[in-house]
Each structure stands twice: as structure tokens, then as C-alpha cells.
Amino acid sequence: MKPVRKAVFPVAGLGTRFLPATKSIPKEMLTIVDKPLIQYAVEEAREAGVEQMIFVTGRGKDALEDHFDIAYELEAVMRGRGKSLEALDSTRSIPGSIVSVRQQEPLGLGHAVWCAREIVGDEPFAVLLPDDLMWGKPGCLRQMVDAYERVGGNIICAQQVAREKTSSYGIITPGRSDGALTEVKGLVEKPKPEEAPSTLGVVGRYILQPEVMRVLDRQESGAGGEIQLTDAMAALIGTQPFHGLTVDAVRYDCGDKAGFVTANIALALERADVGPSVRAFIADLG
Ligand code: G1P
């Protein structure tokens, strides 16, 4: 079984839901406390053993690459002032470990993943959607890689969603369950509540076999007229092992304003530096 060494981060979206904040900065650079969303996702991938991060990016998104580069002037000034560079440690990357390709047109998540096909090559790979901040120990992708090492094939992160919310998610037709692993018998993108096969939703973490790229080569559009990753994955069911993993992690939907603010409060409360003042402020609210 080949190890998961590569991860694809679809980050070409315009982030219109977060305007005006995202007019001139990528939505993935929005911060939860003091760290941009993209960095949480990259750190999660590193913890899971991923060596190469593939950003599927677009125009106006250079800040994402700059963030993992060496900020030479900044470091020189900080050194000159005798300041610690520790806060920059996790933004450093081994040369060559961050690669980017462009998605020239917004044709859907499946299309974004397909844009990385030449770099992914013939290997299993992870996909992380940075909008879904997954907060767990070990991290969500680490838990998925551990399961992958046992059962192989394709593994998607699964969580129960409210019946009235099925039209926001890929939804799984579940088969047999074994602990946290559930066999995936079918997948449908954003079904209406009355048509959803279950309330087991797909959240933004995937471990996929390279054959999914051959399905995406067909460029078939699905729900919303977009080329959907969910449809391409569905075509692999029955040809390869396919499981949903219920991870031990909290999901913050940072593509949504309320979810984004919630993530900021929740993660701030866990921090030794800012937690006490935020907790005191909340207590004062009564
Ligand atoms: C995407 C996927 C969907 C998945 C969701 C998780 O949808 O297409 O299957 O359930 O991410 O966040 P999006 O949120 O980009 O519309």
C-alpha cells in the first residue's frame, strides 16, 4: 500500500461570502485567533505525514504562497531588534514542499482537484478544504491516515448533519459499520432533505486513490452545473474499498460567518495567552 505523501488544497475560491474582508486578501488567509485558516490545514497535513502540499490557486491568491515562504526583510528586522522568530516557525517549509497550480476557471471542486493531476501522479493523495477547520488530537487527517493504513482504498471524513442541511453536503449511502468506519455504498452531492439517502455527510477531508483523476478527466458536470468531486468518487464505489470515517474532532465551518466567529471563540478559550480574558468577557455577558 502506497503511503499518503501528497495533499491537495483547493484554494482558488473568491470568498464572496466574506466580502468586504476578502476583497484583496484570500479567504484562506482569514485568521482564527492569530493563524490563517490555510496554516491550520497545512499543519494538519504535516502531522499526518504529508510531504508535499499542492495549492490549487488562482489570480490574487499570492499571499498563500508568500505565507509559507521566508519573509527575509521581516526576519532581518526582527533579528535586529532581538525579537524571537518562534511565531514564524510553522510557516517555514522545506524548499519544494509547497507547489501550486492554477485553476483558471471556477468549474467546481472536482475540477479544482483535477487541476493537480500531473503533480499527484500515480499515488494516493489527501484533499483538505481549509474552510472546514477540523480540531482534534491527533488531527483529523492523522486519524484518517491511521484508518487508511488498516483498510486502504478511499476514505472520506463523515459526520452526521441535520436533515434540513443535507443540501449543503455530499451525503453517504451507508453500508456496514465497524467502529468508526462505515462502508460507503453510494454518494450524492447536495440532495434535498426528502431525497437524501441518510444524514451522514461528507466533510472537507479525503484520502483518494489516483484513479479518481481518470473519472475527472471526463469533465462531467453534476449538481449546480459544477464538476463535482462527489460524483467522481461515486464512480469508484465497487471498484475500490471506500469508507467513511467518523473522526474524533470538532468541525468548525469557517466558510460560514457564524462558524468562523465560533471557531475564533472556541480556539481562543483554549489558549493560555488570550483564553482568560475572553472567558472573563463571556462571563460578564451573563
Ligand atoms: C464541498 C463538497 C461537499 C462537502 C462539503 C464539505 O461543498 O462538494 O460534498 O460535503 O464541501 O464542507 P462546498 O461546501 O464547497 O459547497
Side-chain angles (χ1 to χ4, degrees):
M1 188 190 299
K2 289 187 187 170
V4 182
R5 298 190 310 120
K6 301 183 179 186
V8 176
F9 299 77
V11 290
L14 293 175
T16 50
R17 273 194 276 174
F18 274 85
L19 285 169
T22 49
K23 185 178 175 194
S24 64
I25 59 161
K27 66 170 173 172
E28 298 80 8
M29 288 303 292
L30 296 178
T31 54
I32 304 299
V33 188
D34 51 9
K35 205 193 280 185
L37 279 168
I38 186 68
Q39 195 180 332
Y40 287 94
V42 165
E43 287 178 7
E44 185 188 325
R46 281 191 188 137
E47 182 207 352
V50 171
E51 294 163 13
Q52 189 170 53
M53 316 292 160
I54 307 166
F55 291 176
V56 181
T57 175
R59 284 188 303 283
K61 293 248 160 170
D62 299 354
L64 294 169
E65 286 149 351
D66 289 346
H67 187 70
F68 295 95
D69 201 349
I70 294 178
Y72 189 79
E73 303 88 331
L74 177 65
E75 291 196 7
V77 170
M78 287 176 75
R79 268 197 205 95
R81 292 181 185 163
K83 291 204 165 156
S84 157
L85 296 182
E86 201 189 323
L88 296 175
D89 280 355
S90 50
T91 64
R92 289 173 179 276
S93 47
I94 300 166
S97 65
I98 305 243
V99 177
S100 72
V101 292
R102 290 222 176 182
Q103 183 188 24
Q104 292 150 318
E105 296 174 277
L107 298 179
L109 178 60
H111 179 260
V113 169
W114 177 77
C115 289
R117 68 200 177 283
E118 296 294 343
I119 302 172
V120 165
D122 192 25
E123 292 191 29
F125 63 101
V127 177
L128 295 95
L129 311 187
D131 275 2
D132 280 341
L133 172 55
M134 300 300 291
W135 197 237
K137 261 197 173 75
C140 175
L141 193 65
R142 177 75 257 169
Q143 295 178 41
M144 291 173 67
V145 167
D146 289 345
Y148 170 75
E149 284 166 357
R150 284 186 280 124
V151 296
N154 302 275
I155 300 198
I156 50 185
C157 185
Q159 274 189 356
Q160 286 294 338
V161 301
R163 172 67 67 175
E164 64 273 19
K165 293 272 173 69
T166 57
S167 57
S168 300
Y169 296 92
I171 300 290
I172 298 171
T173 304
R176 278 199 316 190
S177 283
D178 178 8
L181 277 171
T182 300
E183 224 182 311
V184 174
K185 293 279 195 191
L187 279 168
V188 51
E189 180 68 4
K190 303 196 168 93
K192 293 185 190 135
E194 61 276 20
E195 286 163 13
S198 76
T199 51
L200 193 57
V202 180
V203 298
R205 299 290 183 276
Y206 310 77
I207 292 174
L208 300 173
Q209 295 300 315
E211 286 75 17
V212 76
M213 295 294 191
R214 303 293 72 79
V215 183
L216 290 167
D217 283 341
R218 301 180 204 149
Q219 307 273 295
E220 284 166 1
S221 48
E226 296 191 338
I227 300 170
Q228 297 291 355
L229 182 60
T230 301
D231 297 339
M233 295 190 301
L236 295 183
I237 298 169
T239 68
Q240 299 180 335
F242 217 119
H243 292 92
L245 181 74
T246 307
V247 294
D248 183 13
V250 180
R251 168 180 180 251
Y252 297 103
D253 178 4
C254 296
D256 168 80
K257 285 175 204 174
F260 177 77
V261 174
T262 307
N264 264 296
I265 296 169
L267 269 61
L269 285 173
E270 287 187 23
R271 295 256 304 237
D273 53 353
V274 293
S277 349
V278 176
R279 184 165 286 106
F281 170 72
I282 293 171
D284 276 352
L285 294 176

